[in-house]
Amino acid sequence: MKLLKPSWVSHHGKPIFSVDIHPDGTKFATGGQGEDSGKVMIWNMAPVLREEDEKNEDVHKMLCQMDNHLACVNCVRWSNNGLYLASGGDDKLVMVWKRAAFIGPSTVFGSSSKLANVEQWRCVTILRNHTGDVMDVAWSPHDVWLASCSVDNTIVIWNARKFPEMVTCLRGHTGLVKGLTWDPVGKYVASQADDHSLKVWRTVDWQMEANITKPFNECGGTTHVLRLSWSPDGQYLVSAHAMNNSGPTAQIVERDGWKTNMDFVGHRKAVTVVKFNPKIFKKKQKNGSSNKPSCPYCCCAVGSKDRSLSVWLTSLKRPLVVIHDLFDKSIMDISWTLTGLGMLVCSMDGTVAYLDFSLDELGDPLSEEEKNSIHQNIYGKSMAITNTEAQLSTTIIENPEMLKYQQQRQTSTQTNSAPGTVGPESSAPKLNSVMNGESLEDIRKNLLKKQVETRTADGRRRITPLCIAQLDTGDFSPALFNSVPILPSGSSMSNQLTPHLSSDSSPGQPSSLGFRPSHDPMLTSPPANSLKALEDNNEGVKSTLLLTSASKIEPIKALDSRFTERSKATPGLTAAITSTAGLTALDSRAKESSSTPAQKECKLKEDTSSDSEDKMASINKNLMYSKRKPELMIDGGEVVEKRKKGRPRKEKMTTSMVQSFTQIIPPSEQETRVSVPPSAVAALRLPTPSTQKAFSLQVSMEPSVFLEVENEVTVVAGSKLSQLRCSKDGRDWNTLLPSSVVTAAGSSDLIAVASEDRMLSVFSSCGRRLLPAIQLATPVSALHCTAHFVMVVTAGATLSVWDVQKQKALVRNESLQSILSGTDTSVSQSLLTQQGVPVVGLSNGKSFCFSSSLETWSLIADKADSLVQCADFRGCLSSHDAPVSSGPLAVMQGRYLNAGRLASRLSSTPHHMQQSMTLAFLENQLASALTLQSGQEYRYWLLIYSRFLVNEGSEHRLRELCKELLGPVHTSATTSWEPTTVGFRKRELLREVLPVIGENLRFQRLFTEYQDQLELLRNK
């Protein structure tokens, strides 16, 4: 082992709190205190590794210095792909940095020319949410998420593919959170805080999986950081600052059951940082010895407040090496090189040390393939822990009921797979790991060799992405996220797209970069209706798969927001969005836009689909030249201004483009262009029906009830009277009203009429007046009756619902302002359910219901919701449960529920994302059906949900569900459990859920436990 302390790495004597080596090993970053601000510095690794480079004046030591943080920087971390650097500091901010290509060297303001920045790194996004100093940041495997933790006791998870979007905020710690680490397979994230606890959170639902406190109970005093670390095989989590027999240790937590039986002992003061080597090692074979298979092991470095560093191998009882008094103050951070042989350590005293190990000391590192096979063996292919059939087939069935359901399941699967029947299994093509004699890994490697790389005019590298379908090889590769376009089912877009796409691929480029259709796993058996359009012309299939092939995406550009939004291709605008790889984006788009603004205008006007908002958004985003995230701006005019500034060289072009787009924005998007005057918002009014001379309507089918209204039939003493006639089952009645009737509604029990003088009258179906006339504040916009409920939406955007039977208001003058606010959305439909729950559908595709018990507006449907598009629960639909098509939820969500089918087959989202999306969607459906008090729909979604939980193996959720349905076995005065929900007895629902649980052997215990409880209750 060699040890070096490069004295030139320093923050002018100020402390260095964090160090991280770039994944390619050519540079490293340090973060700490600057002169009067926080400082992030990027250094060249070459002078550290080689003495001749250190002596050579021409090799730059410092590459870049960034002073943007307003206060001390506590943590710097490179993303796994090396494109981004995240830094968190005492100014409560997380900044994400990206290298700006081909801008020459520049000097930091006020410094000498010697300190010129060789590379330019600029802040591309600032993440603001924490209310205290940010202590640690960590990228998840494959850079899907970025986690940050703070002294405000929270951990925030950011969507790294759509900065600055926040996924969730994890609350639970009661002390300052000072360390974070991700499980290498992406299933958990762990955090450690000053509250003497280490918490493990699941990434599926962001709930706490484990809370470990025992090893930390004795900990006195605090450390500046608590950087914990997860081993590369995912089996062990090692904490900082634990105690054992009042001696400081680094606690080892086993993933299996979160047991805490082992620790690293020996440091004299508290452990501040633990860092695992990214490689897994195996013993070096001595020459001449027989090749005995040795057990793989990991390597871990531990740094402490006692200024010493120890390096441990999990195969040895004692540390491999201990270096005492390496620094003058506490060790703050450790970073290994990706090769696993080099390590940088930094300290509070402002210095850095480099340790260089040899293969003889550590062992032979396993290759990525071997490491992946270890992951595969331990965790299975997907991140959802589903036991393999092989394991389950050997399980002994202990419960006779269970045996019955297992046998039923086997017979049903046999009938499904019989020829001629298309079951859910056979319709979704299974991916094998070998296709046409080639393993998927080989196919992927060959594809990467064919990558086309070009240089744009401003010198940037462009790698034309290839469409690689999700190849399920067990290493959870994020196969170019969303590389396949999603077409709404049955759409004929492919025909319109073909000309654009063929003209799009540049001459020297083969036109079919993806798989040929014969190889493509997704198209071997296309779903019957949705790909019909594509089958007509084979070109169509190729080009739709290659929709993004010629567009300009940098390597793994999925991190940039523009490409992760699944903006559906606009027929008229494809060429404008996906421009040729060889040209600069704006050139080709500008030509497109300036040449045919008129054609575009008419095309956009024809295209009135509900996703025009997404399209406009994606086009507007593409107009942005600067690589920075466009800031959120309220006033549309300002946006245009900023864009003009963004591109001084092509002033005219940009303005012409922006204008040509501004003219074609459909009315629903006016807010992106026109700022709404405040007065307009205040007087928010809904349209009212006009008064007619006479009208008639049928208000109920069973029994049949007809209404006839005749306005101004007669004049008595100067006031005009109107007549209301009603016939029910052949019996007629009529009544007179002192003002013209504007609108009427009814049910089999009630008739309600609203008149011009803003009076609402309610009659029974035999003509008896049930309520005195109700005076409304503003004219009626919509009126509904169901059973014995009456609902009114007024022009002043308020909602009221009355229960006429009990003569009381369920909803009193509730304003729609909160759901209509800001935008020029209007009410497109409204309805009242049989249980008296009012539902309002808006023009922006969202539907809300007002819950009188919660006294809030609840979102029950959103046509633009991406969860619906991506949820995939085909495997959970039962053959004998007919889908509920008449309930309020189905009515409001409409046909778009089917959009998810094709999406789930084409989307290349990894399994765990797909799983979380489906879970989130099903839970939304359950909650919505409950709020709407729609019993049949609740039961329907409950069974799908439980089937999904059984398939995915989510035991905790299943247990909670069963517990809620069973309720307390022994009732007491204090129990608040309701035995019924939306008209069903909960225990009856549990009886329906149990057979579903019985289909999976893994849940034998759960099944038996609740089966017995139900029997017990029945015998009571």
Side-chain angles (χ1 to χ4, degrees), residues 687-696 709-713 720-723 737-744 754-758 779-781:
T688 52
S690 53
T691 315
Q692 300 157 311
K693 180 77 182 80
F695 61 93
S696 62
V709 172
E710 208 176 322
N711 285 329
E712 303 182 7
V713 267
K720 297 172 178 171
L721 296 179
S722 302
Q723 187 173 39
L737 292 160
S739 168
S740 295
V741 174
V742 183
T743 178
S755 46
E756 254 178 355
D757 57 3
R758 308 199 311 275
V780 169
S781 171

Side-chain angles (χ1 to χ4, degrees), residues 205 298 329 420 554 623 743 847 918 930:
D205 54 359
C298 300
K329 289 188 180 168
E554 289 172 8
L623 287 176
T743 178
S847 303
T918 310
L930 207 52

Side-chain angles (χ1 to χ4, degrees), residues 135-391:
M135 296 307 295
D136 203 358
V137 292
W139 297 85
S140 74
H142 304 316
D143 302 327
V144 183
W145 299 298
L146 173 67
S148 60
C149 67
S150 159
V151 300
D152 62 11
N153 303 1
T154 66
I155 299 124
V156 174
I157 310 289
W158 309 90
N159 180 351
R161 299 216 157 105
K162 264 193 189 174
F163 284 131
E165 184 184 294
M166 192 176 119
V167 179
T168 185
C169 179
L170 308 178
R171 301 172 191 279
H173 280 292
T174 54
L176 327 182
V177 189
K178 293 185 174 177
L180 281 174
T181 178
W182 288 88
D183 149 34
V185 289
K187 198 164 186 286
Y188 302 113
V189 58
S191 58
Q192 192 175 344
D194 271 350
D195 57 8
H196 304 321
S197 79
L198 184 158
K199 296 188 188 330
V200 181
W201 313 80
R202 292 189 292 272
T203 57
V204 174
D205 54 359
W206 301 112
Q207 297 301 311
M208 198 189 304
E209 164 81 13
N211 181 19
I212 299 146
T213 54
K214 193 165 158 236
F216 310 107
N217 286 340
E218 304 175 35
C219 293
T222 59
T223 58
H224 188 82
V225 287
L226 296 166
R227 303 200 199 275
L228 64 172
S229 180
W230 214 300
S231 66
D233 59 3
Q235 286 299 292
Y236 299 103
L237 172 60
V238 178
S239 83
H241 196 23
M243 291 294 240
N244 187 355
N245 285 335
S246 59
T249 66
Q251 181 65 47
I252 302 171
V253 179
E254 295 175 57
R255 187 195 192 100
D256 180 24
W258 311 111
K259 296 197 279 288
T260 54
N261 303 332
M262 299 178 285
D263 45 21
F264 294 136
V265 189
H267 283 283
R268 296 187 304 281
K269 287 189 181 169
V271 171
T272 50
V273 51
V274 177
K275 198 54 167 281
F276 267 96
N277 190 315
K279 290 284 187 197
I280 301 174
F281 295 92
K282 57 176 188 286
K283 276 212 172 62
K284 216 168 166 50
Q285 298 295 342
K286 293 190 178 64
N287 295 340
S289 69
S290 61
N291 279 351
K292 270 190 288 194
S294 66
C295 197
Y297 54 89
C298 300
C299 166
C300 176
V302 179
S304 156
K305 248 175 147 171
D306 63 9
R307 316 194 305 280
S308 64
L309 176 83
S310 55
V311 178
W312 304 71
L313 300 180
T314 52
S315 57
L316 300 177
K317 289 261 172 61
R318 295 181 174 279
L320 179 72
V321 58
V322 179
I323 305 166
H324 290 290
D325 301 320
L326 183 54
F327 298 103
D328 298 336
K329 289 188 180 168
S330 166
I331 292 180
M332 296 308 294
D333 203 1
I334 300 173
S335 176
W336 289 89
T337 57
L338 221 51
T339 60
L341 296 177
M343 170 172 54
L344 274 173
V345 190
C346 72
S347 159
M348 189 90 114
D349 65 10
T351 61
V352 167
Y354 179 70
L355 282 77
D356 185 31
F357 293 91
S358 67
L359 290 170
D360 295 327
E361 291 162 330
L362 296 182
D364 282 332
L366 300 187
S367 67
E368 279 303 303
E369 278 70 33
E370 292 172 296
K371 188 166 153 183
N372 287 336
S373 71
I374 287 183
H375 279 178
Q376 174 139 354
N377 294 342
I378 303 178
Y379 307 105
K381 272 193 179 175
S382 76
M383 295 193 196
I385 305 177
T386 40
N387 289 11
T388 55
E389 291 297 319
Q391 276 174 294

Side-chain angles (χ1 to χ4, degrees), residues 427 429 521-532 534-535 905:
S427 61
M522 302 200 211
L523 294 177
T524 38
S525 58
N529 64 339
S530 41
L531 288 177
K532 202 49 121 277
L534 306 190
E535 281 167 8
R905 199 158 308 164

Side-chain angles (χ1 to χ4, degrees), residues 676-686 793-799 813-827 840 842 844 848 850 857:
V676 184
S679 58
V681 179
L684 193 121
R685 295 174 68 82
L686 301 179
V793 178
T794 66
T798 63
L799 164 84
N813 277 345
E814 192 56 48
S815 168
L816 276 74
Q817 207 79 342
S818 53
I819 55 173
L820 290 168
S821 61
T823 56
D824 46 5
T825 35
S826 59
V827 175
V840 175
L842 304 181
N844 61 8
F848 292 88
F850 189 81
W857 286 103

Side-chain angles (χ1 to χ4, degrees), residues 114-127:
K114 273 193 175 167
L115 288 171
N117 282 342
V118 183
E119 293 182 358
Q120 296 302 314
W121 286 79
R122 68 163 184 236
C123 179
V124 285
T125 185
I126 297 181
L127 307 175

Side-chain angles (χ1 to χ4, degrees), residues 452-466:
V452 181
E453 190 178 309
T454 50
R455 292 258 172 190
T456 58
D458 57 353
R460 300 184 178 196
R461 284 171 67 221
R462 292 283 183 214
I463 294 184
T464 306
L466 301 178

Side-chain angles (χ1 to χ4, degrees), residues 766-988:
C766 297
R768 252 176 357 104
R769 182 183 271 280
L770 296 176
L771 297 175
I774 296 172
Q775 175 73 61
L776 302 170
T778 49
V780 169
S781 171
L783 177 65
H784 298 284
C785 289
T786 320
H788 48 88
F789 302 103
V790 179
M791 160 180 170
V792 171
V793 178
T794 66
T798 63
L799 164 84
S800 301
V801 179
W802 295 276
D803 180 339
V804 179
Q805 204 174 25
K806 294 184 177 163
Q807 301 244 346
K808 68 175 220 182
L810 299 179
V811 180
R812 193 169 72 240
N813 277 345
E814 192 56 48
S815 168
L816 276 74
Q817 207 79 342
S818 53
I819 55 173
L820 290 168
S821 61
T823 56
D824 46 5
T825 35
S826 59
V827 175
S828 57
Q829 71 180 121
S830 51
L831 61 93
L832 183 63
T833 71
Q834 289 293 330
Q835 281 68 37
V837 180
V839 182
V840 175
L842 304 181
S843 56
N844 61 8
K846 288 187 163 72
S847 303
F848 292 88
C849 74
F850 189 81
S851 159
S852 47
S853 53
L854 294 172
E855 296 193 4
T856 54
W857 286 103
S858 309
L859 178 69
I860 53 162
D862 183 358
K863 296 239 164 52
D865 185 1
S866 51
L867 289 178
V868 181
Q869 307 299 330
C870 310
D872 177 15
F873 46 87
R874 291 191 313 277
C876 308
L877 295 167
S878 158
S879 45
H880 30 262
D881 278 352
V884 185
S885 54
S886 58
L889 189 58
V891 170
M892 292 319 279
Q893 292 183 337
R895 303 222 328 277
Y896 82 108
L897 265 184
N898 303 326
R901 303 302 163 275
L902 174 68
S904 58
R905 199 158 308 164
L906 281 182
S907 87
S908 53
T909 10
H911 176 90
H912 72 111
M913 288 293 286
Q914 180 93 54
Q915 181 196 3
S916 340
M917 285 168 167
T918 310
L919 193 66
F921 168 72
L922 291 174
E923 287 177 350
N924 281 346
Q925 292 294 83
L926 265 182
S928 299
L930 207 52
T931 310
L932 285 168
Q933 298 174 24
S934 168
Q936 288 304 329
E937 283 173 302
Y938 179 75
R939 177 179 164 277
Y940 172 71
W941 288 111
L942 178 72
L943 289 173
I944 292 180
Y945 176 60
S946 43
R947 210 165 275 125
F948 182 78
L949 291 183
V950 169
N951 293 352
E952 292 297 340
S954 321
E955 180 159 7
H956 294 298
R957 275 180 151 82
L958 263 180
R959 186 171 284 282
E960 191 177 85
L961 181 69
C962 294
K963 192 172 157 187
E964 164 54 26
L965 292 176
L966 182 75
V969 181
H970 306 289
T971 48
S972 66
T974 53
T975 51
S976 59
W977 181 75
E978 291 290 332
T980 60
T981 178
V982 290
F984 284 98
R985 296 189 70 78
K986 288 184 182 173
R987 286 170 183 167
E988 291 304 321

